[in-house]
């Protein structure tokens, strides 16, 4: 075992999470920004499956300015682990869940006057003030006050004495590139910022850029950016010119090896049949770990520095691989995401083969897969 057993347990399937790569990606992002532009690291969904707390701690050490999470619970987890940086809850919450925002010092997203008033009342009751970020919909069609109603809403929220408008943000509808539409969103948002400014309202933190926005739309940086994907070394689209370092690798070990004659059906439904006398190995990973069943007969695995296709259906806990006449032994390492010798399987490739996006692959890796952190 390359790592202490206590970290992995007794099933040799794990994800290496390389925090050095995370720091490298952060640095790379930092260098693309103007001086003074803040970075909010998007670490929702357990930091895209990489592990909320280790990722957050590393980013604090790197000098990140803000954290963006999806829910109050994710924010509380950060606080309970001693993370003190400002945290924006980017998703909406119910009015009845307002109190923990105060208890845990979390910044809510606001897009209605009704919610703003409820916050203001709670703040008054506690003799406190609370910072908020107002979300504007410039074309995502998700949460956010409609662009043309935003000015009015901001004008009303400004008058609520206990609320402090710290941020104004919007979100792009295209995570990959759509020049025209994204530029249109940036323009609408920019116009709103200008309008507010001319009405004497200056919001300190104005943000719109996800990873794609950060890489491809300099005029969309405003005063803060909100990257997620690129921090983890994944790319919103092929061929964007910048390379980030993948943070996560998914690994396992061969648990069974057998020689089989030609004509043997492999796994449920026998969608793979051995074409000749060959060696079939079994690996302890499956869709119960978030390894997509869509990769049946499609996905690739690296063993002995070579690339092999998955043979037959992906089961809940196991997959089989036809390795031909390659000499493979029980205990040999198999890489499902990452590199081995000169071969590499990227998360992007896995996603493409599974008919989904890289986000879903890393977020989907289950709690059954221990994350092993590599740092120095
Ligand atoms: C997830 C998310 C991001 C980060 O997007 P990436 O494409 O991963 O960079 C930014 N902003 C909001 C509101 C999000 O929900």
């Amino acid at each position: 075992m390359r790592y202490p057993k206590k970290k992995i347990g007794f099933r040799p399937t794990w994800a290496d999470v390389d925090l050095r790569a995370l720091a490298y990606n952060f640095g790379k992002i930092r260098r693309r920004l103007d001086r003074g532009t803040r970075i909010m690291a998007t670490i929702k969904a357990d930091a895209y499956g990489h592990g909320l707390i280790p990722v957050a701690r590393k980013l604090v050490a790197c000098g990140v300015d803000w954290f963006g999470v999806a829910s109050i619970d994710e924010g509380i987890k950060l606080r309970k682990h001693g993370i003190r940086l400002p945290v924006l809850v980017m998703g909406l919450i119910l009015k009845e869940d307002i109190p923990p925002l105060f208890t845990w010092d979390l910044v809510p997203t606001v897009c209605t006057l009704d919610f703003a008033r409820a916050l203001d009342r709670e703040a008054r009751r506690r003799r406190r003030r609370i910072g908020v970020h107002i979300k504007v919909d410039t074309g995502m069609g998700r949460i956010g006050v409609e662009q043309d109603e935003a000015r009015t809403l901001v004008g009303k929220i400004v008058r609520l004495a206990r609320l402090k408008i710290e941020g104004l943000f919007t979100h792009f509808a295209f995570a990959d590139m759509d020049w025209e539409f994204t530029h249109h969103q940036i323009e609408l948002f920019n116009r709103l910022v200008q309008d507010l400014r001319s009405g004497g309202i200056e919001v300190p933190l104005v943000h719109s850029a996800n990873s794609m926005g950060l890489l491809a739309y300099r005029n969309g940086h405003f005063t803060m950016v909100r990257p997620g994907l690129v921090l983890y070394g994944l790319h919103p689209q092929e061929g964007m010119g910048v390379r980030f370092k993948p943070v996560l690798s998914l690994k396992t070990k061969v648990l069974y090896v057998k020689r089989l004659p030609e004509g043997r059906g492999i796994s449920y439904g026998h969608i793979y049949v051995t074409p000749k006398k060959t060696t079939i190995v079994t690996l302890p990973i499956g869709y119960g770990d978030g390894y997509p069943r869509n990769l049946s007969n499609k996905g690739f695995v690296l063993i002995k520095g070579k690339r092999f296709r998955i043979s037959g259906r992906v089961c809940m806990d196991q997959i089989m691989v036809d390795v031909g006449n390659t000499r493979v032994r029980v205990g040999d390492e198999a890489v499902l995401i990452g590199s081995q010798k000169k071969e590499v399987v990227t998360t992007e490739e896995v996603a493409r083969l599974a008919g989904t996006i890289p986000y879903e692959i890393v977020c989907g890796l289950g709690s059954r897969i221990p994350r092993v952190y590599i740092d120095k």
Side-chain angles (χ1 to χ4, degrees):
M1 279 276 173
R2 196 148 66 88
Y3 299 105
K5 262 222 172 342
K6 69 176 190 327
K7 282 196 188 161
I8 300 182
F10 301 103
R11 182 180 182 241
T13 300
W14 73 99
D16 279 338
V17 177
D18 188 347
L19 297 173
R20 298 164 307 183
L22 179 71
Y24 171 89
N25 296 333
F26 182 87
K28 197 145 182 157
I29 291 166
R30 182 61 98 198
R31 286 193 296 279
R32 294 181 76 85
L33 303 175
D34 288 338
R35 275 174 75 88
T37 307
R38 309 290 171 90
I39 302 176
M40 172 185 288
T42 304
I43 53 172
K44 64 199 181 198
D46 204 23
Y48 292 34
H50 292 65
L52 182 70
I53 300 305
V55 165
R57 286 197 175 131
K58 187 67 186 183
L59 290 169
V60 169
C62 290
V64 74
D65 303 288
W66 275 74
F67 286 119
V69 296
S71 66
I72 291 180
D73 304 273
E74 291 176 341
I76 292 177
K77 192 167 171 197
L78 289 173
R79 293 289 182 246
K80 283 190 170 165
H81 285 82
I83 307 269
R84 296 226 182 85
L85 284 183
V87 174
L88 174 66
V89 179
M90 301 189 297
L92 293 186
I93 63 170
L94 295 170
K95 276 192 266 182
E96 67 213 55
D97 295 326
I98 285 176
L101 293 171
F102 289 90
T103 323
W104 298 97
D105 192 20
L106 305 170
V107 176
T109 293
V110 172
C111 40
T112 65
L113 186 58
D114 184 50
F115 186 79
R117 284 190 175 132
L119 269 175
D120 190 60
R121 277 195 300 277
E122 183 67 18
R124 188 178 313 272
R125 209 176 63 75
R126 291 170 182 260
R127 301 175 203 283
R128 293 261 303 267
R129 289 190 83 204
I130 185 165
V132 301
H133 286 218
I134 298 175
K135 179 78 182 272
V136 183
D137 187 357
T138 54
M140 174 68 185
R142 199 168 64 179
I143 60 171
V145 56
E146 282 289 298
Q147 165 72 25
D148 50 7
E149 296 161 21
R151 228 200 126 158
T152 318
L153 179 68
V154 174
K156 285 178 177 158
I157 293 179
V158 161
R159 274 180 251 129
L160 298 174
R162 300 277 171 170
L163 264 46
K164 195 160 92 236
I165 304 177
E166 283 179 352
L168 186 75
F169 73 117
T170 192
H171 191 54
F172 297 137
F174 291 83
D176 47 4
M177 270 210 265
D178 181 316
W179 278 97
E180 214 173 318
F181 194 78
T182 306
H183 275 302
H184 169 71
Q185 284 193 270
I186 292 170
E187 196 187 304
L188 285 180
F189 192 50
N190 209 2
R191 205 178 298 157
L192 172 65
V193 174
Q194 299 307 330
D195 270 8
L196 290 173
R197 186 170 291 153
S198 56
I201 300 172
E202 186 75 38
V203 182
L205 295 169
V206 176
H207 47 112
S208 70
N210 55 0
S211 294
M212 182 276 308
L214 186 149
L215 295 183
Y217 303 86
R218 192 154 257 282
N219 60 342
H221 289 185
F222 297 97
T223 64
M224 184 159 76
V225 294
R226 299 191 308 270
L229 201 67
V230 289
L231 279 174
Y232 310 104
L234 305 174
H235 303 83
Q237 177 166 297
E238 308 272 312
M240 290 198 76
V242 252
R243 299 307 296 170
F244 292 88
K245 286 189 185 165
V247 173
L248 183 141
S249 312
L250 182 60
K251 298 178 177 173
T252 185
K253 290 189 176 192
V254 172
L255 277 191
Y256 192 60
V257 180
K258 73 170 147 194
R259 289 291 284 174
L260 287 177
E262 179 191 332
R264 280 297 189 88
I266 302 297
S267 193
Y268 294 117
H270 286 185
I271 62 168
Y272 183 82
V273 177
T274 55
K276 54 181 185 334
K277 186 172 182 195
T278 191
T279 302
I280 299 287
V281 306
T282 302
L283 306 176
I285 187 165
Y287 64 78
D289 301 293
Y291 190 74
R293 188 171 175 273
N294 278 348
L295 294 177
S296 299
N297 269 354
K298 278 198 209 146
F300 289 97
V301 178
L302 310 178
I303 305 173
K304 293 272 176 204
K306 289 196 218 166
R307 193 177 246 273
F308 298 103
R309 201 187 293 271
I310 289 166
S311 306
R313 290 246 160 83
V314 171
C315 308
M316 192 183 294
D317 318 304
Q318 304 178 64
I319 57 175
M320 271 64 76
V321 182
D322 184 339
V323 296
N325 293 321
T326 305
R327 291 182 65 86
V328 176
R329 280 189 290 186
V330 168
D332 284 347
E333 187 181 271
V335 173
L336 300 128
I337 295 175
S339 57
Q340 195 183 56
K341 302 220 174 109
K342 287 192 172 132
E343 278 291 343
V344 56
V345 176
T346 63
T347 301
E348 287 90 337
E349 179 189 3
V350 169
R352 188 161 17 84
L353 291 173
T356 182
I357 52 174
Y359 300 78
E360 196 182 22
I361 299 297
V362 284
C363 287
L365 295 178
S367 56
R368 206 162 64 164
I369 297 185
R371 272 60 166 179
V372 177
Y373 295 93
I374 303 172
D375 199 2
K376 303 255 160 53

